[in-house]
Structures are given as C-alpha cells and as structure tokens.
Amino acid sequence: MKGVLSLRAGGDTFTPELVEAFLDEYTKPGDVVFDPFAGFGTTLVVAERMGRRPLGIEIMAERVEVVRAKLEDPSAILCADTRNLDRLDLPPIDFSITSPPYMSREDHPQNPLTGYQTLDGDYQTHLDELAAIYRRVATCLAPGGTVVINAANLRLHSTRLAWDIGQAVSTVLTYEREVVIDWDEPPTWLTNDYCLVFSS
Ligand SMILES: C[S@@+](CC[C@H](N)C(=O)[O-])C[C@H]1O[C@@H](n2cnc3c(N)ncnc32)[C@H](O)[C@@H]1O
C-alpha cells in the first residue's frame, strides 16, 4: 500500500473499502481481526466476508444487536466497555483496525468512551484511556501483529487528534507509518484523515 489511499467517502469516513484495503495488505484468511470500537460493524462484516475471524467490542447494546444481525457468527461481537479489556479472555489478535470515537480539545464534557452518555469527558484522560486500551491490545497481539487506528485532525479547536492519538499509542506500541486517506469528498470538519499503523 502506498502512503496515500484514495477512496470514495459516500458520507462516511470508515468505509468497507478502507477496511478491505488494510485487510488485503496485512492479513490472510483465518486471521483474527479485532475492532475494540465495533460501532455498526464495518470491520467485522468485511473481515467475515474476506474469510478472516472477526472479533469486536461495542458498548452500546442497540448497536451490538444491529451488528449481530449482519454477521454469520453473532458471537463475534461482545457488548462490553473496551476499557475493561483486561477482564476479557481474548484470543491472539493478528490484526486490529478501528475508528475510535472522537473528541475535540475543548468544550466537550460528553465522554466519547461512554458513548457520550456521561459528562466526565476530558481530552487528556481520553488519550490516556486510549493508550491503556492499546496497552492491553498489545499484550494480545500475535507475533507480527499489526494495529491500525483511523483518526483525523479536526478543525474544531484545531484539534490535532490524529497526532495526539499517535503520540499516546506510541507509548505502548511501536509506530510504523501513517497512510493518508485521500477522500474524494473530504468532510468539512476534518483537515486530513489518516490511518496510523503500529506493531508490537
Ligand atoms: C466511530 S464508531 C466505530 C466504527 C467501527 N469501527 C465500525 O467498523 O463501524 C465508535 C464506536 O465506539 C463505541 N464506543 C465508545 N466507547 C466505547 C467503549 N468504552 N467500549 C466499547 N465501545 C465503545 C461507540 O458506541 C461507537 O459505536
């Protein structure tokens, strides 16, 4: 994969084509593909379609139900708080990709890591919690495993979210490279979108 990946946005910034491009590059059939923020299941659905073994965690029960209905193996998604990852018995992970919930630097009490349900949000705490999640992912990574985080820099309050996540997660995983996502119609709320690639 080159350093720039050109994709069609289609109203979303975590598309099946983005996931497919990374699974093509970094995985083979049978590999465990983990999404710690499974959302509506883009990663899991693409992984299953490509013959990989999907595994996801999502905090919102109604989203988990939606994803289960899309999967041949509904047990591939767990309804849990990924901050409690160390309480879950995870298999060796060959590859992880996600788009974590976003947070801007200021004026943002809604906590992304409770699905914006609580008002204890704090930017630095958010970054620290992401690092703690990936510290746990790192302990489960199979030899040669790869972690990809899709993150944008945000126009709101000049939030360098991609850089800040890159820095935070670099404390627990080895930073390898970034891939710039060249959207055909970039959303106005971001300055640029990246996939940050880490190894153990
Ligand atoms: C941007 S979406 C992820 C998109 C997803 N990767 C996909 O394939 O569609 C972020 C998701 O993280 C979930 N989330 C937020 N905090 C969480 C937590 N502490 N544990 C698990 N899921 C969480 C949100 O509910 C939301 O669905």
Side-chain angles (χ1 to χ4, degrees):
M1 185 186 293
K2 293 184 177 163
V4 177
L5 182 61
S6 297
L7 291 172
R8 276 194 332 117
D12 198 359
T13 57
F14 192 75
T15 63
E17 292 75 18
L18 184 156
V19 175
E20 194 174 325
F22 279 91
L23 294 192
D24 256 340
E25 171 99 5
Y26 285 101
T27 70
K28 57 185 186 316
D31 278 358
V32 172
V33 172
F34 178 61
D35 188 335
F37 299 102
F40 288 104
T42 309
T43 300
L44 307 185
V45 168
V46 173
E48 192 174 66
R49 175 166 53 75
M50 292 175 69
R52 278 61 169 169
R53 289 156 56 203
L55 174 64
I57 298 178
E58 168 55 46
I59 200 168
M60 296 179 74
E62 59 275 24
R63 292 192 181 181
V64 171
E65 289 314 310
V66 172
V67 178
R68 285 198 173 130
K70 294 179 184 175
L71 292 172
E72 273 175 40
D73 175 10
S75 69
I77 183 165
L78 309 174
C79 187
D81 184 335
T82 207
R83 290 174 297 178
N84 300 328
L85 215 50
D86 51 355
R87 294 184 207 157
L88 300 174
D89 191 19
L90 299 178
I93 294 165
D94 296 294
F95 182 78
S96 173
I97 186 167
T98 199
S99 169
Y102 282 0
M103 181 170 208
S104 68
R105 269 193 311 131
E106 295 172 44
D107 298 334
H108 200 319
Q110 295 86 356
N111 188 343
L113 294 180
T114 60
Y116 304 104
Q117 297 301 301
T118 60
L119 299 180
D120 54 346
D122 171 77
Y123 191 66
Q124 190 55 51
T125 305
H126 179 62
L127 296 172
D128 293 344
E129 289 189 316
L130 286 178
I133 289 165
Y134 280 99
R135 181 179 297 115
R136 170 66 173 141
V137 172
T139 67
C140 300
L141 266 192
T146 300
V147 170
V148 174
I149 302 177
N150 173 223
N153 287 333
L154 314 180
R155 287 196 194 283
L156 193 63
H157 307 304
S158 305
T159 304
R160 298 173 297 274
L161 184 66
W163 302 159
D164 292 340
I165 290 178
Q167 189 170 16
V169 176
S170 293
T171 62
V172 295
L173 285 165
T174 303
Y175 190 78
E176 293 290 343
R177 64 187 293 222
E178 71 282 344
V179 176
V180 180
I181 309 301
D182 172 31
W183 295 113
D184 62 341
E185 292 177 22
T188 53
W189 49 267
L190 58 78
T191 60
N192 229 332
D193 200 10
Y194 303 89
C195 281
L196 311 175
V197 182
F198 303 85
S199 63
S200 55

